[in-house]
Amino acid sequence: MRRSSRRRAKNNAQTPVEIPAYFRRTAPVYDILSEDKIARIEAAAEDILSNTGVAVRHLPSLELLREAGLEIDGEQVRFPRGFCRKLIQDNAPSEFIQHARNPAKSVRIGGDSLVLAPVYGPPFVAAEDIERRYGTLEDFHNFVKLAYMSPEMHHSGGTICEPTDIPVSKRHLDMIYAHMRYSDKPFMGAVTAGERATDTMEMCDILFGKDFVDSHCVTMGLINTNSPLVLDETMLDAAHVYAARGQATAITPFMIAGASSPVTVAGSVALSLAETLAGMAIVQLVKPGAPVIFGYMMLGMSMRTGSPIRFDETWKSLLIAGQVARRLGVPFRCGGSSSSSKILDAQAGWEGALYMMFSMLAGVNFMIHATGTLESGLVANFDKFVLDCDALGAAARMMTEVTVTDDDLALDAVDTVGPGGNFLDSAHTMARYKTVFYEPNVSNNDSFEQWTAAGAENAAQRANKHMRQLLADYQAPTLDASVDEALQAYIQKRKAELPDSFA
Amino acid sequence: MRRSSRRRAKNNAQTPVEIPAYFRRTAPVYDILSEDKIARIEAAAEDILSNTGVAVRHLPSLELLREAGLEIDGEQVRFPRGFCRKLIQDNAPSEFIQHARNPAKSVRIGGDSLVLAPVYGPPFVAAEDIERRYGTLEDFHNFVKLAYMSPEMHHSGGTICEPTDIPVSKRHLDMIYAHMRYSDKPFMGAVTAGERATDTMEMCDILFGKDFVDSHCVTMGLINTNSPLVLDETMLDAAHVYAARGQATAITPFMIAGASSPVTVAGSVALSLAETLAGMAIVQLVKPGAPVIFGYMMLGMSMRTGSPIRFDETWKSLLIAGQVARRLGVPFRCGGSSSSSKILDAQAGWEGALYMMFSMLAGVNFMIHATGTLESGLVANFDKFVLDCDALGAAARMMTEVTVTDDDLALDAVDTVGPGGNFLDSAHTMARYKTVFYEPNVSNNDSFEQWTAAGAENAAQRANKHMRQLLADYQAPTLDASVDEALQAYIQKRKAELPDSFA
């Protein structure tokens, strides 16, 4: 009773003006490596770029690189030392704004900003009341709605889950439309084919107006490299589409240390830096000044099962990658609340929280998988979506400055209360208690007796109720009817043109 | 099958020679405050000590303070600015060794060392196969055995749970005996009455020999202040007993911000510093050079339920307290894997892991509640005991230096593997993969299909099986029969002298 009324009060408070569109970090990052060690990693990346080189499997990119004076051997490109770094530092913005259709929800990416986005890419969905199964467009809609309802989420994300009931060839249209229609937060575009990126841009032109899009970043493509050292045609096709229109790309290796990257942290960061430098440099050749994000993703590997894991060496590598990204001077993407657990249990809790927290301590600017990820990305879990928001809320507040004013030190209050006294009704407490403590939605701090009387629910069960309440309370943001019609007409036209393909 | 054989292999490896007795931190701490802000907090603590003063409810302590030249007003003691700090810095060791009866298990406390100890003080116990109930001596024995079996635990702790089936007046004897008999790791002594501390010392004299005890630290008392600003008779009685014999005391406030301390982080740390400075100074007056530990414990308060919570402001305060302790130059105690959850669910997972991790990042030297704590300390949970060991193992490894040698950078391996290659069978991987990745015991990284086929157990269920296996595999360390007889004779004598009291 108490909880549900509190929830409602919280939901009513979710008006755009009251909620910051993104988080600003004021606490220091946790730098674990000395500058000279970071410089060694940077030098190693230049060694890789200039000696080993990168396979660029994309003719337009090879053409641009050739025009830039590079020597190319088939698909193998060797970048002279410092070439990529200079191109990026001379052209790419250190931070940029990704505009939302609701201007109050536009986010700044880079510098001391932190933008949180949902799980990305799982084929499966699950919840307390949904047995693990393939995701559908309805699931996708619900995730967009949850991200819209959650103040901790600054971004609507991209492929929150795969809507597998829609042909692969067409589902990008439905996903982009859902982000545009059911949310007013910024979103990511399709990257699974160049023409799907083009569809994304066409729809952005309808939503934002072509002139606005030509001069503002309104979407972003998540461009994965194929580690080690391959930039493939599909991803570069999409990157070209976004970059050519001045839209953002997040260039991100997917490394499993000991498989697709060296088994060591230093080796993996060096390899990843080589790959992202190459990718970001190509983007700058497509359009100098197009926003790029330095993405980082390295998992460990279980020697027992071969599965990806994220413990100490992964956490450390996040911190080091953050240092590398700041020295390069571009926005940094990493992390998430991911876990290899199959369900929302204690393993999911501790593994996800630590991976997420070290991403924050690494100074992440843009975090995909911030909520809802299980099975290392195979499952989008509705309950975990809202439970992760609890941890994210506390973690974001952790990354704010501690003030030490006379007011904070409370010497008068201490003297007034005195030995053996109580601060509960102190004026110092009364003036601050309503805002000083973070209160999660799903965590339960009741006594055992109260908790038992209320049904002895575990965190997953409570999260499920909270999630269902959010969806029940959902109200769509307004969208100009003519824009909506134009979007639907575009989708209808494209769906008629495109073949039905599920592969 | 595979898992249980792996467990056995791990257990067989638990011989004293192979396992370091304690952990050495080589990664940097995470300092969130500038030195000038820390200095302001230190100055505020001196303001509190000199203006407000501390209530010292213990005549022998008041007598020592009077002899030291302090002006005393009833029980109220005002300490001149810098008096306590100088006394502590002139006398207390910056680090010390707590000796175990097995010399290979002695631990260093202070500096860059990290010593992990179990849950402390809960009246209740629980597990998947134990419905929450009052603890018994048998439970206590089992926890001592688990701590003995767990390589992540460096210390046997103290009152791991209350053996409520034994009279309060006598149970300390059984607890101390259990630590001495069923483990060979270091342990904590009784503090609930001066005479119980004396019993602890008598038993230590039997176990270690009086001469050894006179010149070595073999036990430790956890001395709580009564925040705000009260040092009570019971705790100071016990502190005097331990200090007089050169044994360690961990002086620790128990602060709930907004109730027993100011609602602000800076105010709580300042108050706590005042209290611990006073307590440690008294210990140095009892016996200059007796080891003291700066203890820190501040919880937030739920505005919904009034219950203690530990989120961002608590995490920040740990980091600041660590900075304060290092500048003072004494060992630092804080943290644990505590949560206010009632069961071992996702809430327990994320809340416990973040509280623990920030303790590590704060540079904690001695961590009680590192394993097994639920309901903010009301429950010792057997399953959480082993699950927490997973997180502790990963977290401790996190706090080690990252090396950046040519070997780590793996340029040769990258060049050999080349674009699109695989590091799985690279010589660089083969030489390192067995040790580079941390592998938890309870976490499951199997595929969904494998996990389902194996029974679809959640983390709590798997932890329970692992815990039961550890207890089944337990073999007591040898103890000289004459020492054992002498200990039992002492206990028998004292039990005959003491009244049966359950209050």
Side-chain angles (χ1 to χ4, degrees), chain A residues 472-484:
Chain A
D473 291 346
Y474 171 79
Q475 289 184 301
T478 53
L479 178 63
D480 186 282
S482 64
V483 171
D484 196 4

Side-chain angles (χ1 to χ4, degrees), chain B residues 344-360:
Chain B
L344 185 44
D345 61 358
Q347 178 188 350
W350 81 263
E351 291 185 358
L354 291 181
Y355 186 55
M356 176 275 288
M357 196 68 239
F358 279 107
S359 311
M360 293 236 188

Side-chain angles (χ1 to χ4, degrees), chain B residues 75-88:
Chain B
E75 63 183 23
Q76 196 93 341
V77 182
R78 291 186 176 78
F79 297 85
R81 301 184 77 85
F83 172 89
C84 297
R85 178 169 289 263
K86 179 165 170 37
L87 196 57
I88 295 159

Side-chain angles (χ1 to χ4, degrees), chain B residues 352-429:
Chain B
L354 291 181
Y355 186 55
M356 176 275 288
M357 196 68 239
F358 279 107
S359 311
M360 293 236 188
L361 290 167
V364 59
N365 299 121
F366 184 58
M367 188 193 290
I368 310 172
H369 288 294
T371 47
T373 312
L374 280 179
E375 288 186 43
S376 284
L378 279 178
V379 171
N381 184 290
F382 285 97
D383 308 326
K384 189 162 193 289
F385 196 102
V386 299
L387 183 124
D388 286 338
C389 283
D390 273 7
L392 289 166
R397 284 173 57 127
M398 170 67 219
M399 300 309 294
T400 55
E401 189 189 14
V402 177
T403 55
V404 186
T405 63
D406 284 348
D407 234 33
D408 297 313
L409 289 167
L411 290 176
D412 288 347
V414 170
D415 201 53
T416 305
V417 169
N422 198 310
F423 291 86
L424 268 175
D425 52 5
S426 152
H428 185 264
T429 304

Side-chain angles (χ1 to χ4, degrees), chain B residues 331-353:
Chain B
F332 178 48
R333 176 227 152 178
C334 74
S337 305
S338 313
S339 159
S340 56
S341 181
K342 266 56 70 182
I343 50 174
L344 185 44
D345 61 358
Q347 178 188 350
W350 81 263
E351 291 185 358

